[in-house]
Amino acid sequence: MAAEVLAQGGARVSVYDAMPSAGRKFLMAGRGGLNLTHSEPLPEFMARYREAAPRLRAAIEAFSPEALRGWSEALGEPTFVGTSGRVFPKAFKASPLLRAWLRRLDAAGVRFAFRHRWIGWDGEGRLLFRTNDGQRPIEAKATVLALGGASWPRLGSDGGWADILASKGVAISKLRPANSGFTVAWSDVFHDRFEGQPLKGVALTIGAHTVRGEAMITRSGIEGGAIYTLSAELREAVLGLGQATLTIALRPELDVAALTTRLSGTRGKQSLANFLRKAAQLSPVGIGLMQEAAIASGRPLATFSPAELAKLINAIPVQLTGVAPIERAISTAGGVTFDELDERLMLRELPGVFAAGEMLDWEAPTGGYLLQASFATGAAAGRGVLRWLASS
């Protein structure tokens, strides 16, 4: 995105990429349908960036969700708004958009050099790349670093840049998993039976934060959209205390009194699982979660009264024991702190060097917010470089 803005501004641009081809993580983002941005009003949209919102506001206002949709349409990929408010290209894939984008960059004179991994600067201040043919120095009037976080390192972003910049005096907030799963010590019976099963229409709570949505049971824990929305709070609790209690409400639209009434009927010869399934419309995985909680409490679920069952249905405690590895996270928190950047996204310690995208210290849930901020800060860095070149 920075390259496109720079080329439009008349600069000669080269993009150096560690991978054998462009946009590897962009293509990964499109595997389930490329969620470019979100359609909600900008105040609510900006709130998704939490404490980083004031630092990102100017960039996102300058390249807004509406502008991103127009950009995609100009590349021949019109967009639509899904039922959740998320915005997708009608092709629902990343590859057609990426191909069209690369063609436009090529026509604008942007040159790509692949299998070039940036490893810092040489003694003369030139950019230094590791290539298949050895180290290669490159002189540039200005540099945009768009090196990503540390999730999915096999796609090119491994966070190795953090030590390089730190050695130059740039303050880096430690890279941490974001939009990640969490580990839970499920019983063997539970994870063998319910691995891969979704929890639909649930409410998840940690502290004062509650989110409605879906989650997914994994063999080692839990992940999914609602978990990702709470991942910052869950992560900080786990890292700070060593564990965290996530509370799951299976029927959040019903209160305890209504559930108690439903569960006060005669069970007859039905198994408890069948009774809960019919009386409270619970899924097998939801009932399994109740069984896990009962085991942890030291009481068989069959001994719970209707009122106790009703209370448990909407307050199942799940102990999170750890954060899934950063390599498997969708994105990362941490990175170059905003105090290290001026209003052009130029590093104060390194004049002529700009930074953009996920390597900056912000995080957001899935839903289009990650790509939107990456696009917007890329465009902002490109504009910043043009201003820098004009003034210097």
Side-chain angles (χ1 to χ4, degrees):
M1 199 68 205
E4 182 164 23
V5 170
L6 283 163
Q8 290 171 350
R12 289 191 298 116
V13 187
S14 294
V15 177
Y16 294 91
D17 195 316
M19 303 305 288
S21 61
R24 291 290 180 99
K25 196 167 186 183
F26 187 66
L27 292 171
M28 171 65 82
R31 284 183 62 181
L34 184 65
N35 184 191
L36 283 172
T37 186
H38 202 285
S39 63
E40 66 187 351
L42 197 59
E44 288 86 346
F45 190 99
M46 290 305 307
R48 307 296 184 178
Y49 298 101
R50 302 162 55 88
E51 60 275 2
R55 306 298 192 113
L56 292 170
R57 182 174 300 279
I60 291 176
E61 287 180 346
F63 192 75
S64 66
E66 292 76 16
L68 178 50
R69 295 184 68 181
W71 172 87
S72 179
E73 185 158 0
L75 285 169
E77 294 297 327
T79 59
F80 72 96
V81 179
T83 55
S84 63
R86 300 182 180 200
V87 175
F88 302 88
K90 288 185 177 178
F92 216 60
K93 294 186 291 187
S95 51
L97 182 60
L98 180 60
R99 286 195 298 269
W101 193 9
L102 292 175
R103 285 195 298 269
R104 188 161 76 183
L105 289 172
D106 181 65
V110 175
R111 189 177 69 86
F112 281 80
F114 298 109
R115 294 187 173 88
H116 279 63
R117 179 168 289 278
W118 180 67
I119 56 175
W121 292 271
D122 68 8
E124 299 178 30
R126 297 175 297 182
L127 295 162
L128 198 59
F129 294 90
R130 185 172 64 244
T131 76
N132 291 342
D133 299 319
Q135 293 186 359
R136 180 185 177 191
I138 299 291
E139 193 162 353
K141 290 183 179 179
T143 301
V144 177
L145 300 176
L147 301 167
S151 62
W152 290 92
R154 65 182 180 83
L155 301 177
S157 302
D158 60 7
W161 54 265
D163 290 339
I164 299 172
L165 293 184
S167 71
K168 295 290 186 179
V170 177
I172 309 292
S173 177
K174 183 179 177 181
L175 296 174
R176 307 178 304 283
N179 293 296
S180 64
F182 293 83
T183 57
V184 180
W186 303 125
S187 68
D188 291 344
V189 171
F190 182 82
H191 67 56
D192 284 348
R193 182 174 179 189
F194 297 114
E195 178 185 4
Q197 292 294 307
L199 291 164
K200 297 184 177 182
V202 297
L204 307 181
T205 300
I206 172 99
H209 304 276
T210 297
V211 170
R212 294 279 291 267
E214 297 188 3
M216 180 76 72
I217 302 299
T218 69
R219 189 163 190 83
S220 60
I222 190 167
E223 59 182 41
I227 293 290
Y228 302 153
T229 302
L230 288 175
S231 66
E233 289 78 19
L234 295 171
R235 180 190 66 234
E236 296 310 307
V238 170
L239 295 181
L241 302 173
Q243 62 178 16
T245 301
L246 172 70
T247 302
I248 300 179
L250 299 176
R251 296 298 309 275
E253 73 282 4
L254 297 175
D255 61 20
V256 171
L259 285 167
T260 301
T261 299
R262 290 177 177 228
L263 296 169
S264 295
T266 303
R267 192 199 311 176
K269 295 182 179 180
Q270 297 181 87
S271 68
L272 178 58
N274 271 336
F275 176 69
L276 290 171
R277 179 175 59 82
K278 293 177 181 178
Q281 284 79 56
L282 299 183
S283 65
V285 65
I287 297 167
L289 280 175
M290 294 176 67
Q291 294 281 11
E292 289 286 285
I295 292 169
S297 73
R299 285 180 58 194
L301 191 62
T303 67
F304 282 44
S305 69
E308 289 173 320
L309 287 171
K311 185 177 179 181
L312 180 61
I313 284 170
N314 279 343
I316 301 173
V318 176
Q319 291 298 120
L320 307 181
T321 58
V323 185
I326 194 169
E327 294 82 3
R328 296 289 296 175
I330 290 175
S331 59
T332 48
V336 176
T337 64
F338 281 96
D339 287 342
E340 295 295 309
L341 303 164
D342 69 11
E343 73 282 358
R344 298 167 295 191
L345 297 186
M346 185 171 74
L347 291 165
R348 300 181 192 278
E349 295 288 331
L350 299 167
V353 179
F354 299 72
E358 199 181 340
M359 67 182 293
L360 305 184
D361 185 14
W362 60 273
E363 62 178 306
T366 57
Y369 311 103
L370 299 169
L371 280 177
Q372 176 69 54
S374 295
F375 276 112
T377 55
R383 295 191 301 271
V385 170
L386 291 173
R387 290 166 56 193
W388 161 259
L389 294 174
S391 66
S392 60

